[in-house]
Amino acid sequence: MPELPEVETVKRGLSKFILQKKITKIEILNEKSFIGSPTTGKVISVRRFGKALVLDLDNDYSLMIHLRMTGQLIYDGEERYAAGHPSENFVANLPNKQTRVVLKFENGTLYFNDQRKFGFIKALKTSEVEEDSFIKKLAKEPWFMTAEEFYEKLGHHKNSLIKATILDQTIICGLGNIYADESLFMSKIHPERRCGTITKEEAGRLLESACKVMDKSIESGGSTMATYVKADGTRGDYLDKFAQVFHREGKNCPVCNEKIIKIRVAGRGTHLCPSCQKVEKFCEVEKLTSREKAKND
């Protein structure tokens, strides 16, 4: 699944091709890939809510698009523009067997391809977009959350691992596996620490790190993972230029020269520096707290 910077990159690139252009027809080639009734109209804005794109039309309806694992958006008009899971579809004749929905414009066509059929396009009234169950559950993104708000949210999950917590889109929106690892490294917090051991100062540092990490990624066009590319079909260069720990296991830490390691946390591959991101002393605090609790019981 793309992370927030990848979807933001797609939003910015796609806007250049479809904004103020009219959708004249929608062809649904796979019923499960389109929710609601097809609607046509001029695209007056392209918005992003977490990892979902929303095309607002001039008829008071909107189209919400989620690429999920293997979704693609390919615009074929004055030039070809491709975003999402890279494959031969970027240069192939379309539609093809992976094409699920076709949006016809006056001077071009937008193809929604999805090999595994996990993605979708949903038509709904523009006034109902923010009340949609998928969007309504999303928490604030790092840029719009204060340190106090973030610290308070962590306080409600004291026994949860910090990495698992910041991956929860209902707690903080937009952080996926790559940017969680990078943010935790930048803020010198071990991913296996319990939220209850995170101080208010550390929470503020983690929130600030998340903003910096994702800002850098958006500037570079998103990560260079195998499944996602920039909106014009070229690859982003975040991992090459800015990533400090993600997919760098066995390489030297850029801060202390210790070897980066990879472990599993909350079922996800997790990269960290064991020297910069220590957890041992916090484990001792947890043990003491457990003993005191048992004694009081």
Side-chain angles (χ1 to χ4, degrees):
M1 185 179 293
E3 297 197 29
L4 185 151
E6 282 73 61
V7 181
E8 177 64 22
T9 299
V10 173
K11 186 203 83 171
R12 295 181 184 186
L14 190 62
S15 297
K16 299 175 184 178
F17 291 85
I18 66 172
L19 202 55
Q20 299 305 318
K21 291 187 177 181
K22 184 178 181 180
I23 299 173
T24 59
K25 184 180 181 181
I26 296 180
E27 298 177 359
I28 301 171
L29 306 183
N30 181 70
E31 292 186 1
K32 292 183 179 180
S33 298
F34 196 97
I35 303 169
S37 300
T39 182
T40 59
K42 182 187 293 185
V43 179
I44 58 175
S45 70
V46 181
R47 295 184 287 167
R48 179 187 57 74
F49 293 86
K51 300 175 184 179
L53 289 176
V54 174
L55 313 184
D56 295 316
L57 309 181
D58 63 355
N59 62 357
D60 296 325
Y61 274 80
S62 298
L63 298 174
M64 182 170 70
I65 304 173
H66 205 307
L67 299 177
R68 292 294 176 95
M69 296 293 292
T70 59
Q72 300 172 323
L73 289 173
I74 303 172
Y75 180 81
D76 203 0
E78 55 272 25
E79 60 182 286
R80 178 162 286 200
Y81 166 102
H85 185 82
S87 73
E88 67 277 2
N89 287 330
F90 284 174
V91 294
N93 291 326
L94 295 174
N96 62 19
K97 63 181 181 180
Q98 293 182 11
T99 305
R100 310 305 177 193
V101 182
V102 179
L103 279 64
K104 295 279 189 178
F105 285 81
E106 292 174 309
N107 298 305
T109 304
L110 181 64
Y111 298 94
F112 176 68
N113 285 24
D114 188 12
Q115 181 180 3
R116 299 182 67 180
K117 302 180 185 179
F118 292 153
F120 62 84
I121 298 179
K122 181 177 183 178
L124 68 170
K125 289 184 177 180
T126 302
S127 60
E128 298 174 353
V129 168
E130 295 187 35
E131 293 302 312
D132 182 81
S133 59
F134 182 84
I135 291 176
K136 191 174 183 179
K137 66 182 180 181
L138 297 176
K140 291 182 181 179
E141 295 177 2
W143 299 282
F144 308 111
M145 186 180 292
T146 66
E148 290 74 15
E149 287 177 312
F150 184 46
Y151 180 65
E152 184 177 347
K153 282 180 173 288
L154 295 184
H156 295 309
H157 302 271
K158 291 182 179 181
N159 294 320
S160 299
L161 302 182
I162 185 61
K163 177 165 181 180
T165 302
I166 63 175
L167 286 175
D168 187 337
Q169 302 300 296
T170 66
I171 296 173
I172 184 168
C173 178
L175 282 171
N177 203 40
I178 298 172
Y179 304 105
D181 283 3
E182 293 295 315
S183 300
L184 289 165
F185 171 75
M186 185 179 287
S187 54
K188 299 186 183 301
I189 297 174
H190 194 286
E192 289 184 313
R193 280 180 57 185
R194 304 285 175 181
C195 291
T197 71
I198 304 296
T199 66
K200 188 174 184 179
E201 180 183 357
E202 287 176 318
R205 195 163 70 233
L206 178 55
L207 188 64
E208 182 180 2
S209 296
C211 292
K212 288 181 178 179
V213 163
M214 291 201 292
D215 280 339
K216 285 183 179 180
S217 182
I218 291 170
E219 289 170 9
S220 69
S223 74
T224 54
M225 295 300 290
T227 51
Y228 282 88
V229 295
K230 293 166 68 173
D232 60 2
T234 61
R235 292 186 180 276
D237 57 5
Y238 175 80
L239 290 185
D240 292 335
K241 290 185 176 179
F242 303 114
Q244 304 290 293
V245 292
F246 193 83
H247 270 199
R248 293 178 60 84
E249 60 268 27
K251 297 182 180 179
N252 293 338
C253 170
V255 175
C256 71
N257 283 325
E258 182 72 40
K259 296 293 184 184
I260 301 298
I261 64 172
K262 181 180 180 180
I263 61 175
R264 292 196 71 79
V265 179
R268 306 295 296 274
T270 300
H271 306 78
L272 67 130
C273 171
S275 178
C276 292
Q277 297 165 270
K278 294 185 182 297
V279 72
E280 290 83 1
K281 62 179 179 179
F282 297 100
C283 290
E284 291 303 318
V285 170
E286 287 185 7
K287 289 178 183 177
L288 288 172
T289 303
S290 298
R291 289 181 194 139
E292 290 175 359
K293 183 178 179 181
K295 185 178 179 180
N296 291 333
D297 290 342

